[in-house]
Amino acid sequence: MPREEGKRPVVALIGGTGNLGPGLALRWAHAGYPVIIGSRAADKAQATAVELNAELGNELIVGMENVAAIQAAEICVLTVVQGVHEAALSDLKDELKGKLLIDATARMEFPKITPPAPPSAGRIAQTMLGDEVRVVTAFQNVPASAVRKNFRHPLDSDVLVCADDVGAAEEAMGLATDAGMRAFYAGDLDKAIVVEGLTSLLVSMNRHYKVHGATIKVAGISSHQTE
Ligand SMILES: NC(=O)c1ccc[n+]([C@@H]2O[C@H](COP(=O)([O-])OP(=O)(O)OC[C@H]3O[C@@H](n4cnc5c(N)ncnc54)[C@H](OP(=O)(O)O)[C@@H]3O)[C@@H](O)[C@H]2O)c1
């Protein structure tokens, strides 16, 4: 069904109770999106939503069990812990049909912080879910703590967006922009393995320099070229 002119789509964060989900939820709610925190447990999702609404000063965020969250949303953002990526997709496959899925998964192996081998998490998701789901990857390189902190202000971090469907990528780029980030289309879902791998570099840099917020910024593309 076409979206009503000017109306913000409902965004659900699957596994939105962890580190990354709440900061994204705050940023989208602040921009006027109706946001659903998803969890395996409805009461945990609701408790997170209450906490975030108190921070936000309104009631734009609600909490639901993951399946109900997906059913109520147009755009779903996957922020489950990296090790359960495939298991979560397998459990939620039917509900995701017809949705835009933004996959934030950045896999790496500890303790050596080894980057993942191809295929990318996004390619795995697209293969598992099939053509009825438009899969986009984004947000793998943004540090969760920075996303949540000062959520009313732009984030000093860029977002590389990959998808086979450029139109789907552009929708995700619009969401990233509304959340205060610059976003760039970076290629199809096979390219997303490089974006995932960058996160392992950033985590290594955090360790080496004893910081938490190493991230990326793109040079050489000016803002009028991204409009
Ligand atoms: N943390 C970062 O700075 C950061 C930055 C960029 C990208 N990412 C990526 O974003 C994703 C989320 O990272 P995170 O740090 O937010 O993860 P996290 O806090 O460790 O976990 C997120 C959520 O995953 C859910 N979960 C745990 N076990 C599960 C299972 N067996 N099945 C289904 N859901 C399960 C939990 O939600 P419930 O218990 O409520 O179901 C949990 O709150 C990861 O793929 C990560 O690579 C993280």
Side-chain angles (χ1 to χ4, degrees):
M1 198 197 305
R3 191 176 300 147
E4 214 175 287
E5 186 83 27
K7 204 172 169 215
R8 301 281 203 210
V10 178
V11 181
L13 290 129
I14 308 166
T17 55
N19 298 311
L20 183 62
L24 291 173
L26 283 170
R27 283 178 177 271
W28 284 320
H30 176 64
Y33 287 82
V35 176
I36 306 172
I37 294 288
S39 166
R40 288 167 296 172
D43 56 348
K44 185 176 171 186
Q46 285 152 8
T48 301
V50 167
E51 184 195 314
L52 297 177
N53 282 329
E55 229 171 294
L56 195 63
N58 65 37
E59 302 289 322
L60 272 168
I61 303 176
V62 297
M64 296 180 190
E65 197 274 328
N66 282 327
V67 168
I70 295 168
Q71 286 169 344
E74 291 167 72
I75 300 177
C76 301
V77 184
L78 188 67
T79 56
V80 295
V81 63
Q82 58 154 337
V84 306
H85 177 252
E86 288 183 48
L89 288 172
S90 170
D91 287 348
L92 300 169
K93 188 176 174 186
D94 290 342
E95 286 72 28
L96 285 167
K97 276 187 187 145
K99 311 286 176 179
L100 175 72
L101 177 70
I102 304 178
D103 193 339
T105 305
R107 299 157 301 158
M108 65 197 81
E109 269 181 41
F110 291 94
K112 285 187 72 183
I113 323 176
T114 311
S120 69
R123 175 60 69 209
I124 292 169
Q126 188 69 79
T127 303
M128 286 179 71
L129 300 172
D131 292 346
E132 286 178 86
V133 182
R134 295 180 302 148
V135 176
V136 177
T137 63
F139 306 115
Q140 303 98 315
N141 307 139
V142 294
S145 54
V147 174
R148 183 158 185 174
K149 199 174 159 190
N150 299 327
F151 67 87
R152 291 185 172 84
H153 299 281
L155 191 66
D156 196 20
S157 180
D158 290 344
V159 180
L160 300 179
V161 178
C162 293
D164 294 347
D165 175 342
V166 179
E170 283 169 351
E171 280 191 54
M173 288 158 69
L175 269 182
T177 305
D178 288 343
M181 301 167 219
R182 289 200 316 161
F184 298 86
Y185 179 64
D188 64 22
L189 291 171
D190 297 319
K191 310 286 187 303
I193 193 66
V194 180
V195 186
E196 269 196 273
L198 272 179
T199 308
S200 74
L201 294 188
L202 297 169
V203 172
S204 298
M205 291 162 76
N206 281 341
R207 271 198 189 171
H208 183 80
Y209 292 103
K210 300 186 174 39
V211 297
H212 299 290
T215 185
I216 60 144
K217 296 204 76 175
V218 173
I221 304 176
S222 57
S223 49
H224 77 270
Q225 286 164 316
T226 61
E227 279 161 11

